[in-house]
Amino acid sequence: MIEFLVDTPILLLVLVSALGYLVGQVEVKGSRLGVAAVLFVGLAFGAVDPRLALPDFMTLLGLILFVYAIGLSSGPGFVSALRREGVRDNMFVVGLLGAAALLTAGLGILLGLSNTVTSGLFAGSLTNTPALAALLERIEAKAPAGLVDTMLTEPVVGYSIAYPVGIAGVILAIVIAQKLWSIDYEAESGAVAGAKTTGEDLESVSILVTNRSIAGTSVRRLMEDHDWDVIFGRIRHTGAGQDLVEADTVVHPGSVISVVGTKENIAPVIDVLGEPARERLEKRRHEYDFRRIFVSNPDVTGRPLRDLRFLQQVGAIVTRVRRGDVEWLADADTVLEPGDRVRVVARPEDMSLINERFGDSYKALSEVNLFTLSTGIMAGMLIGLIPIPLPGGLEFKLGLAGGPLIAGLILGNAGRTGPLVWYLPYNANLLLRQLGLVLFFAGVGTKAGYAFFNTLLAGGTGLLIFGVGAVITCLTAFTALWIGYRLLGIPMGLLVGMLAGLHTQPAVLSYAIQQTGSDLPNLGYATTFPMATIAKILFAQLLLLLM
């Protein structure tokens, strides 16, 4: 059986993936590993025979697909986060990594570990492959000829033993923290302004205007005076038919106006305007109708709603946008992506034209633009190959993990370049992430499994490295969570993503998303990943040179 799996790596991949999925569904005290279980199943397979390792090509392809898809979906949120708290968050991460490097150096000196093992241990306990690659590249270039092979082996040993505990330790820290502090991810999600991470429970209410003090006041003035987070849909004046509400629409006593928003946000609107009306304007569909429409036309994706002239020409408004399982109120700045579902209010006779302009084709959403996908990934790979010089003769590269992420963030924020739409349909983006994670976890697990278990079971230095790696990982993770949540007040859903970015670890990110039930961890991950990658490459090389 082993020989058969060695000769058919595709079957090995499928087997590890299937068993990993089953293990990931096992729930222990409310927690599941999810797709991250594929890594640990891969370690088990790799421990059986060193030949049971998937080709490097699969691992790298998985990593590229995952980080690029994350970058595309997180681009707008990443830029927004940088404008708000990005500098603080990245300085926080760099400070933690500096402290982790000092801790690693201190333990290495105390226990008599060589600088090569210690630097590899640092890269492994913080699960950063680009840092290990930079170490090996520097050793090969600078080490004495007779010591190259030995010095190249030692960082790999330190890395391979510490890497699995570098994942498990962070996941354990998250489990303990969310139990200790009784985290309610859904309740805290609203703390991140502008992040469309959890759905809003939207409803439509028709209000009878009875407040005579606001007679003749425009909707624009009311919105400015009261800062309401709602959308006005239709209005019916006394003795007249329905009209759509515009900014200059004037409100009079006796008018009935429809409002869309959450129950909490609609309540103060009712208090000011009057009382709930007996009639429901949305029930009268012969004058104005509403419909949910799929966005599949590339001509409207990547553009804010204010630029869609056909809506203004036919007198239609978009009140809500649904992306995946998340729904929120639309506004003029809302940028549409392929696969979004918009709720449109318009005259019945105009609905056919609006359908045509938005596309409304589920079939078209299944057709991924391979040109823009391949171009974006290629740009990311080229960015990852650029050597960036540092003081002291050091240099680093973002590599295949950092480069595609940076490209995805840039292109995701841009949305489109002329006729080229960079967004992926929502379901296609999720599929690429999942596929990329499975390939990456299965490849890393099967390749590291044999060295990990054999070195660990041999005792002596192996157990010592394992213990030191566990201390570095757990102490860094717990410190990050305690300072971030208790002192800086960062929402835990965002913080666990930042922690995944600090460890540059897709497995932790996958687990964090599964725990929070939202995409908020992606935002934290994308915000801190680039700076964390740079810092760890730098600190790993400093450990090699200075110890």
Side-chain angles (χ1 to χ4, degrees), residues 49-72:
D49 192 301
R51 296 174 299 164
L52 289 176
L54 292 172
D56 290 340
F57 170 80
M58 289 188 182
T59 308
L60 294 176
L61 176 61
L63 181 61
I64 290 169
L65 291 177
F66 174 74
V67 297
Y68 182 69
I70 286 291
L72 283 181

Side-chain angles (χ1 to χ4, degrees), residues 98-279:
L102 290 175
L103 175 63
T104 306
L107 291 174
I109 293 171
L110 180 65
L111 300 173
L113 299 176
S114 67
N115 62 336
T116 48
V117 171
T118 302
S119 55
L121 172 61
F122 174 79
S125 61
L126 295 169
T127 62
N128 191 254
T129 304
L132 176 66
L135 286 173
L136 299 179
E137 184 177 351
R138 187 159 193 86
I139 290 171
E140 195 166 10
K142 302 294 184 179
L147 298 176
V148 171
D149 291 340
T150 301
M151 292 184 69
L152 285 175
T153 301
E154 290 180 346
V156 176
V157 171
Y159 175 87
S160 62
I161 295 176
Y163 189 94
V165 74
I167 298 173
V170 181
I171 292 176
L172 177 64
I174 294 174
V175 171
I176 294 175
Q178 62 191 14
K179 295 291 185 184
L180 184 64
W181 298 322
S182 302
I183 303 300
D184 186 342
Y185 288 111
E186 184 176 353
E188 69 168 21
S189 62
V192 182
K196 301 294 188 294
T197 57
T198 57
E200 298 174 335
D201 189 10
L202 301 177
E203 57 184 52
S204 178
V205 175
S206 296
I207 302 173
L208 173 63
V209 180
T210 60
N211 184 354
R212 296 188 177 279
S213 66
I214 63 171
T217 306
S218 68
V219 170
R220 176 186 287 109
R221 179 66 181 274
L222 289 170
M223 294 290 284
E224 291 174 351
D225 290 347
H226 300 282
D227 194 27
W228 289 328
D229 186 16
V230 296
I231 285 182
F232 289 95
R234 319 175 198 200
I235 189 170
R236 182 183 62 77
H237 297 293
T238 304
Q242 290 187 23
D243 287 307
L244 291 184
V245 177
E246 299 178 353
D248 295 327
T249 298
V250 175
V251 177
H252 296 283
S255 300
V256 177
I257 189 168
S258 67
V259 182
V260 181
T262 62
K263 182 179 294 185
E264 294 78 11
N265 291 336
I266 291 176
V269 181
I270 297 176
D271 292 340
V272 172
L273 296 184
E275 61 188 39
R278 291 184 179 181
E279 67 174 311

Side-chain angles (χ1 to χ4, degrees), residues 476-532:
T476 302
F478 276 116
T479 302
L481 291 173
W482 187 81
I483 294 176
Y485 186 72
R486 306 293 289 186
L487 296 185
L488 299 179
I490 301 173
M492 184 61 77
L494 183 64
L495 184 59
V496 291
M498 290 172 56
L499 184 61
L502 184 151
H503 281 261
T504 54
Q505 184 45 249
V508 177
L509 177 61
S510 172
Y511 179 77
I513 294 171
Q514 184 266 322
Q515 289 296 294
T516 61
S518 76
D519 281 343
L520 188 54
N522 287 334
L523 181 57
Y525 182 84
T527 301
T528 57
F529 180 98
M531 184 60 72

Side-chain angles (χ1 to χ4, degrees), residues 324-378:
D325 296 331
V326 179
E327 185 175 48
W328 67 91
L329 290 174
D331 58 38
D333 295 322
T334 299
V335 177
L336 300 178
E337 296 183 11
D340 287 349
R341 284 171 290 171
V342 293
R343 180 160 169 165
V344 182
V345 180
R347 295 181 183 85
E349 59 268 22
D350 294 326
M351 280 298 183
S352 296
L353 173 64
I354 295 171
N355 267 25
E356 180 183 341
R357 293 297 178 89
F358 279 117
D360 201 29
S361 171
Y362 194 77
K363 179 175 180 288
L365 293 175
S366 64
E367 300 172 355
V368 176
N369 189 323
L370 293 178
F371 177 78
T372 55
L373 175 63
S374 302
T375 302
I377 290 176
M378 182 171 61

